[in-house]
Amino acid sequence: MVSGLINANPIVYEKKERRTRSTPADVDEYAVEAIDQLEIFEHIRDIKDPEHPYSLEELKVISEDAIEVDDKHSYVRVTFTPTVEHCSMATVIGLCLRVKLMRSLPPRYKVDIRVAPGTHATEAAVNKQLNDKERVAAALENPNLVDMVDECLAPSYE
Amino acid sequence: NFELREVQRLEGHTDRVWNLAWKPATGVDGVPAVLASSSGDKTVRIWEQSPFTGSFECKAVLEDTHNRTVRSCAWSPSGKLLATASFDATTAIWEDAGGEYTCVSTLEGHENEVKSVSWNASGSLLATCGRDKSVWIWEVLPHNEFECVSVLQGHTQDVKMVQWHPSMDILFSCSYDNTIKVWAGDGDNDDWHCVQTLNESNSGDKMVSCSDDLTVKIWGSDIMRMQSGDGTAPWTHLCTLSGYHDRTIFSVHWSREGIISSGAADDAVRLFVESKDGLVDGPTYKLLLKKEKAHDMDVNSVQWSSMENRRLASASDDGTVKIWELCSSSGQKKA
């Protein structure tokens, strides 16, 4: 069968149960709450894959474990796993992750996005492009790309 | 024991500030200092120091010409013209008529994003570069006419920055392909070619470069041989400053008194000076100071004033430009 899709038949996994945070009764509701792994995951789990009607979570492109956060130093690193080694959508997925975090996190945050080691044929090139802010800025001035990113991000705002 | 003291915070841009340029021959002999800043908000702002209060004020907003990010800006040596390079694929030339800026020419030719622009020392040539992997050399003709005299191919990826040598017609270009290329003309100025490609293996008279690899590199060349006419003295790698930066370094600038400043994605500004007590061969550099949290976000550009030795300007993703003064810790300017 000839397919125009990069990965015609992706494996779809079950979504993780939505956890509600346990809040102690005597908590100071005005206290600053540190941003943690779960909070970052909540921001990005529902981002739609660029070529499938599934979320990045359902395709196991992202998982909570692959998020490193250091709130004290305002740093987060998201490591994602493309569904296939030659996925040409990897840069679009990475761009979606970066844009969503840019819009969701305080501006003090430094964000690194990378593909999981060994999961992409051109890993170094993809990582370099995703973390080149000049290229990201230029991409986000391209209306076609912005439409594509916005479409993927839409479910994550619901 | 030095400190970098924040003198003023310039607000007005509504998006990240990418680049800065001090106007030549200002800030001296009673001429107020003038600084240009270019931004993701598609504008360029001109800031001028008030002779009365000493503080910088926005004198002009150059808008409605570029319809995308203005990535870089550069004054002609006379200070009469300002060139602005934009992601909209054009480079605009602005003329300063007593504080009123008008766009007098638009240079078209690059296929897409123009990333950097630089004037040669005499102001007779302009270089631009961009995402289309090419470097263009333009001849400045009378009546604000600009003619492309050469399109230089050679880089295999985006060309991120072009910079002319401060006194000779030698051009440097930095690329996403991890190399710096050195370009020289054949005398009649219309036939330009790459005379050298600098990378790790090639092991003024010095040049500084910065990178996403978290290093600052110092390059040296035989200035006497260059000035003797053939212009092809090779550049060699003198030393690498590593271990100082934690995130991408976006900008380095060497002051006339020999202090290297760097701006990086860790929001800090660092200053380096040559260390005289090194026992090893060749120059070594040490950290003079690190200004943590110089800005709230990435520092995209650092520029020393060419007139005020201890005055530095920085531009940031936080949308502000800051003016700094290098002082000794007691509060005095560095002597």
Side-chain angles (χ1 to χ4, degrees):
Chain A
M1 191 190 83
V2 180
S3 166
L5 296 177
I6 308 293
N7 179 7
N9 298 300
I11 306 165
V12 181
Y13 301 85
E14 237 179 279
K15 286 187 199 179
K16 233 172 142 168
E17 190 188 325
R18 306 250 160 183
R19 278 183 279 152
T20 43
R21 283 164 197 279
S22 51
T23 315
D26 61 341
V27 76
D28 174 5
E29 61 181 283
Y30 295 105
V32 179
E33 208 177 311
I35 292 170
D36 61 8
Q37 234 180 356
L38 178 62
E39 180 172 343
I40 302 284
F41 188 58
E42 292 290 347
H43 286 307
I44 59 179
R45 65 192 299 176
D46 295 321
I47 296 174
K48 191 187 86 66
D49 183 85
E51 61 169 25
H52 295 292
Y54 305 110
S55 71
L56 297 185
E57 179 188 10
E58 287 172 300
L59 298 175
K60 282 216 171 144
V61 170
I62 53 161
S63 69
E64 199 178 328
D65 302 336
I67 297 168
E68 294 154 77
V69 200
D70 181 346
D71 190 59
K72 195 167 150 254
H73 295 101
S74 306
Y75 176 75
V76 59
R77 178 163 77 177
V78 177
T79 304
F80 70 100
T81 306
T83 55
V84 281
E85 240 199 354
H86 294 276
C87 184
S88 60
M89 289 291 161
T91 50
V92 179
I93 294 171
L95 191 62
C96 289
L97 291 167
R98 179 171 290 284
V99 171
K100 185 67 208 281
L101 293 177
M102 252 162 49
R103 291 180 186 168
S104 311
L105 295 176
R108 64 182 163 90
Y109 256 84
K110 304 293 180 186
V111 179
D112 285 340
I113 309 277
R114 60 163 192 177
V115 295
T119 65
H120 199 276
T122 56
E123 183 182 325
V126 171
N127 288 341
K128 184 172 177 180
Q129 189 174 338
L130 286 176
N131 294 293
D132 182 324
K133 88 175 186 195
E134 188 181 64
R135 283 202 174 190
V136 170
L140 295 179
E141 290 184 0
N142 174 339
N144 297 330
L145 256 178
V146 171
D147 284 351
M148 199 168 180
V149 168
D150 279 338
E151 197 194 316
C152 294
L153 294 191
S156 74
Y157 290 109
E158 280 162 14
Chain B
N1 294 331
F2 296 106
E3 65 168 328
L4 199 56
R5 191 168 59 85
E6 184 180 327
V7 177
Q8 203 188 337
R9 178 185 159 93
L10 312 181
E11 288 175 315
H13 281 298
T14 57
D15 200 319
R16 65 159 59 103
V17 189
W18 278 111
N19 196 226
L20 295 170
W22 288 99
K23 188 172 180 172
T26 66
V28 68
D29 297 336
V31 182
V34 174
L35 178 70
S37 60
S38 77
S39 163
D41 67 11
K42 310 180 180 81
T43 74
V44 173
R45 282 178 177 257
I46 309 291
W47 311 87
E48 189 178 306
Q49 189 175 25
S50 159
F52 308 108
T53 63
S55 63
F56 285 80
E57 291 160 18
C58 182
K59 280 295 189 187
V61 181
L62 282 48
E63 54 192 346
D64 299 329
T65 290
H66 290 302
N67 56 39
R68 290 186 60 188
T69 284
V70 189
R71 179 66 183 86
S72 95
C73 55
W75 294 97
S76 65
S78 69
K80 197 77 186 138
L81 300 174
L82 179 72
T84 57
S86 168
F87 283 179
D88 69 10
T90 71
T91 304
I93 309 293
W94 306 79
E95 192 172 31
D96 173 12
E100 293 280 316
Y101 290 82
T102 19
C103 178
V104 292
S105 193
T106 307
L107 315 187
E108 293 174 7
H110 281 286
E111 281 171 39
N112 37 45
E113 291 93 332
V114 187
K115 302 196 176 201
S116 175
V117 59
S118 177
W119 300 82
N120 72 342
S122 68
S124 63
L125 297 170
L126 192 70
T128 58
C129 66
R131 184 179 150 199
D132 62 10
K133 305 172 190 168
S134 67
V135 172
W136 291 48
I137 294 182
W138 308 79
E139 194 178 340
V140 184
L141 303 172
H143 312 297
N144 294 321
E145 296 274 336
F146 293 79
E147 189 193 356
C148 174
V149 292
S150 200
V151 176
L152 310 176
Q153 309 282 356
H155 282 297
T156 58
Q157 295 281 347
D158 317 19
V159 189
K160 294 196 160 271
M161 189 194 185
V162 277
Q163 178 76 50
W164 288 96
H165 187 276
S167 62
M168 281 171 280
D169 284 344
I170 299 168
L171 180 70
F172 302 88
S173 60
C174 316
S175 166
Y176 194 83
D177 69 13
N178 301 340
T179 67
I180 298 171
K181 283 186 184 286
V182 187
W183 309 85
D186 263 356
D188 66 353
N189 274 355
D190 280 3
D191 191 15
W192 291 78
H193 54 270
C194 176
V195 293
Q196 203 185 350
T197 298
L198 308 181
N199 56 42
E200 198 83 55
S201 64
N202 292 101
S203 110
D205 61 338
K206 288 204 194 74
M207 172 167 67
V208 61
S209 64
C210 65
S211 167
D212 180 51
D213 70 2
L214 311 183
T215 71
V216 169
K217 288 186 189 290
I218 314 285
W219 310 83
S221 184
D222 183 347
I223 189 92
M224 300 303 282
R225 200 172 133 193
M226 283 202 294
Q227 281 167 341
S228 72
D230 68 357
T232 54
W235 290 79
T236 51
H237 171 244
L238 297 180
C239 66
T240 298
L241 282 61
S242 57
Y244 294 105
H245 296 84
D246 314 316
R247 294 187 68 78
T248 305
I249 311 159
F250 293 119
S251 177
V252 277
H253 194 220
W254 216 318
S255 80
R256 285 189 312 167
E257 56 179 4
I259 304 171
I260 298 168
S261 59
S262 73
D266 59 9
D267 310 343
V269 168
R270 290 172 180 78
L271 303 182
F272 297 92
V273 286
E274 192 168 345
S275 168
K276 304 276 193 252
D277 48 46
L279 295 169
V280 288
D281 289 340
T284 55
Y285 291 80
K286 63 177 184 198
L287 186 71
L288 180 67
L289 68 83
K290 174 183 178 186
K291 184 73 184 174
E292 302 257 17
K293 286 279 153 211
H295 281 274
D296 294 337
M297 295 174 73
D298 294 5
V299 182
N300 296 323
S301 179
V302 282
Q303 290 291 316
W304 291 103
S305 161
S306 56
M307 293 302 162
E308 257 316 320
N309 269 343
R310 301 136 210 131
R311 181 185 286 163
L312 179 77
S314 59
S316 165
D317 273 3
D318 67 15
T320 70
V321 172
K322 283 186 179 180
I323 310 288
W324 306 88
E325 215 148 54
L326 181 61
C327 312
S328 64
S329 290
S330 58
Q332 299 296 304
K333 276 189 184 182
K334 184 182 181 293

